[in-house]
Amino acid sequence: VRFANDPANLLAVDGQANQDKSDKGPASWMPPNAAFHCQYAMKFIAVVRAYGLVLDGPSAPALREAAATCPSSP
């Protein structure tokens, strides 16, 4: 219940995007807007860490690729 209602794990999206994502991980689904890949990856990683979840093998490279789009700090 805590996981399902955690604001860090909730994201307001339109119905079609929600249906497209379903229960797919980052290897199978990323937000259609590529500009959001960094933020999505960071939120996904934070939730995995916070709940001690196991990240499936194919999702790790997808998350690394998405994280590579994040702006770097000066």
Side-chain angles (χ1 to χ4, degrees):
V1 171
R2 186 171 66 98
F3 174 81
N5 293 298
D6 185 343
N9 194 31
L10 298 174
L11 186 63
V13 298
D14 71 10
Q16 189 60 53
N18 190 45
Q19 288 179 0
D20 290 345
K21 183 196 178 302
S22 185
D23 63 348
K24 296 177 183 119
S28 301
W29 186 90
M30 288 297 282
N33 182 348
F36 192 63
H37 287 189
C38 168
Q39 185 177 353
Y40 179 78
M42 295 299 103
K43 286 180 75 76
F44 196 96
I45 292 165
V47 169
V48 166
R49 287 181 176 162
Y51 289 92
L53 303 174
V54 176
L55 185 62
D56 65 303
S59 289
L63 289 170
R64 275 194 294 276
E65 184 177 322
T69 68
C70 295
S72 58
S73 299

